[in-house]
Amino acid sequence: MTASRDIACRVRGFGAYTPVDVLTNFDLEKIVETTDEWITTRTGIKQRHRLAEGQNASDAAAEAARLALADAGMEPGEITHVINATCTPDYLCPNTACLIEAKLGIVGAMAFDFNAACSGYVYGLSMARAIVAAQPEARVLLTATEALTRRLNWADRSTCVLFGDGAGASVITADGEGALLEDVRCASDGNLGGLLTIGGGTSTPYAKGDPIGDDFFVQMNGRDVFKHAVRNMAAISQEVLERNGLTTDDVALLIPHQANLRIIEAVGDRLGIPTERVFVNLHEFGNTSAASVPLAIADARAKGVLRPGMRVLLATFGGGFTWGAALLHF
Ligand SMILES: CC(C)(COP(=O)(O)OP(=O)(O)OC[C@H]1O[C@@H](n2cnc3c(N)ncnc32)[C@H](O)[C@@H]1OP(=O)(O)O)[C@@H](O)C(=O)NCCC(=O)NCCS
């Protein structure tokens, strides 16, 4: 047990943004050999949002951040740290957090990106808690933003139908009103990283004029990822509940990473949480990676599914592999 578990950590504001442009399964039928029926039955996804030309992950994050700040009743100038989860940054350098900071008119905050793929938001909660534990006056803006559609191979039907763009944001402080972060636990296994990759990093020594290879885009062994996702999301959720002396009866709502409806149902089954207490919105947004959990939180609040007084269990899994779970008491 770390000392920071004894420090209060409040998630005070939530915001989310998805681009206007929507790609339905029927639109995808015109791009690759697929059907709405296949995508719906295998994944539950009906549509996903796509960033407009010239609109980037940092723009989506700034929109979500403005809403989160308004929700927290705070001004951008009060923020001391901008920590941004993404596996689809605008650039390798500068980091996307600095770009978000500039778009919000913040100068002087500590700003950095981190990549935990789809687990980014839960990893970010863990980091934000550590920051406010070390520095109780800190005002942390956590953003999670993805431009996945920019890194999809539109000729690979096994991956291009799964992902969408979007962003979510939260403001985290040691004090004040807001959801209490009761616990968070993050884990990883780098031995399995090759099962889900997005290239374009420096391990591929591209020279000017070289054609872009398939490695530049999302590549995935879907079946293996599926198995590990179910096993690890369920196990880490159970672990977090047990170490807090709780059972799933104490959880009002499970908000899982929105990758695939069958993964979500299998996790719910393993944990013994009935479907009416499991929040699902992937039919509207697809898998938005790091943005999926904060997008789901904001959506669940807007739809009145997530209400004050509820204890919420977050569960995530992503490339790396990374996974995590958190308990938020609203
Ligand atoms: C990707 C996924 C939906 C594929 O479902 P699946 O039931 O495992 O399907 P398979 O990969 O075994 O493919 C079955 C068949 O469907 C075909 N297929 C794949 N994508 C298709 C598509 N979009 N449309 C139509 N057919 C498709 C395959 O080519 C294969 O055909 P074949 O039997 O003739 O070779 C599933 O594995 C999955 O969701 N995995 C987890 C992925 C994920 O969420 N990752 C992110 C986690 S953070």
Side-chain angles (χ1 to χ4, degrees):
M1 245 23 57
T2 59
S4 64
R5 290 197 67 215
D6 303 326
I7 306 265
C9 176
R10 296 273 173 184
V11 188
R12 289 172 57 172
F14 296 89
Y17 172 82
T18 44
V20 177
D21 186 22
V22 168
L23 262 183
T24 66
N25 292 349
F26 298 105
D27 294 326
L28 292 181
E29 286 182 359
K30 296 173 199 137
I31 299 173
V32 275
E33 198 182 328
T34 191
T35 59
D36 169 59
E37 198 267 336
W38 192 96
I39 301 170
T40 305
T41 53
R42 300 292 175 113
T43 72
I45 298 165
K46 297 296 284 182
Q47 63 174 43
R48 69 287 295 143
H49 292 240
R50 183 171 55 176
L51 288 164
E53 216 179 306
Q55 188 185 30
N56 294 316
S58 63
D59 297 301
E63 294 291 343
R66 284 187 192 99
L67 294 171
L69 283 161
D71 191 34
M74 288 172 62
E75 296 297 327
E78 294 178 62
I79 294 299
T80 58
H81 300 70
V82 180
I83 66 174
N84 179 54
T86 188
C87 61
T88 49
D90 292 15
Y91 304 97
L92 289 182
C93 182
N95 73 43
T96 310
C98 283
L99 302 174
I100 296 165
E101 194 190 41
K103 280 169 185 163
L104 294 172
I106 301 170
V107 178
M110 180 174 177
F112 64 92
D113 285 1
F114 59 97
N115 178 354
C118 307
S119 306
Y121 181 77
V122 172
Y123 266 60
L125 288 180
S126 185
M127 273 189 280
R129 184 184 62 171
I131 291 168
V132 301
Q135 226 177 304
E137 70 286 1
R139 301 268 181 273
V140 181
L141 175 64
L142 165 62
T143 52
T145 187
E146 300 289 7
L148 258 309
T149 65
R150 300 262 163 84
R151 284 307 181 92
L152 295 177
N153 177 350
W154 296 100
D156 176 7
R157 65 180 181 175
S158 69
T159 54
C160 76
V161 302
L162 303 175
F163 298 94
D165 301 332
S170 294
V171 179
I172 294 131
T173 61
D175 56 3
E177 298 290 309
L180 178 67
L181 179 61
E182 293 181 321
D183 200 5
V184 54
R185 159 115 172 83
C186 299
S188 66
D189 184 354
N191 294 301
L192 299 167
L195 295 173
L196 173 47
T197 58
I198 309 175
T202 54
S203 68
T204 310
Y206 278 114
K208 193 165 161 53
D210 283 353
I212 292 167
D214 287 351
D215 63 288
F216 193 72
F217 303 99
V218 172
Q219 292 187 305
M220 178 169 63
N221 178 330
R223 283 196 174 180
D224 282 354
V225 171
F226 192 108
K227 281 187 291 192
H228 288 286
V230 172
R231 191 181 306 144
N232 289 316
M233 283 166 78
I236 203 162
S237 297
Q238 202 62 57
E239 186 189 334
V240 164
L241 288 170
E242 277 169 15
R243 77 181 191 178
N244 286 276
L246 301 170
T247 71
T248 47
D249 290 343
D250 301 302
V251 173
L253 194 64
L254 168 65
I255 300 189
H257 170 46
Q258 306 285 313
N260 180 310
L261 184 58
R262 291 185 297 142
I263 292 177
I264 292 174
E265 286 172 348
V267 171
D269 277 355
R270 281 195 183 205
L271 292 172
I273 302 182
T275 49
E276 59 273 18
R277 280 167 39 214
V278 180
F279 186 74
V280 175
N281 69 358
L282 56 71
H283 50 285
E284 293 176 66
F285 304 111
N287 180 349
T288 57
S289 191
S292 116
V293 167
L295 191 53
I297 294 173
D299 195 27
R301 281 176 93 214
K303 288 173 175 158
V305 179
L306 201 180
R307 296 178 299 278
M310 283 183 158
R311 176 181 283 118
V312 175
L313 172 64
L314 310 178
T316 59
F317 182 85
F321 287 158
T322 58
W323 59 96
L327 285 169
L328 272 180
H329 206 152
F330 282 79

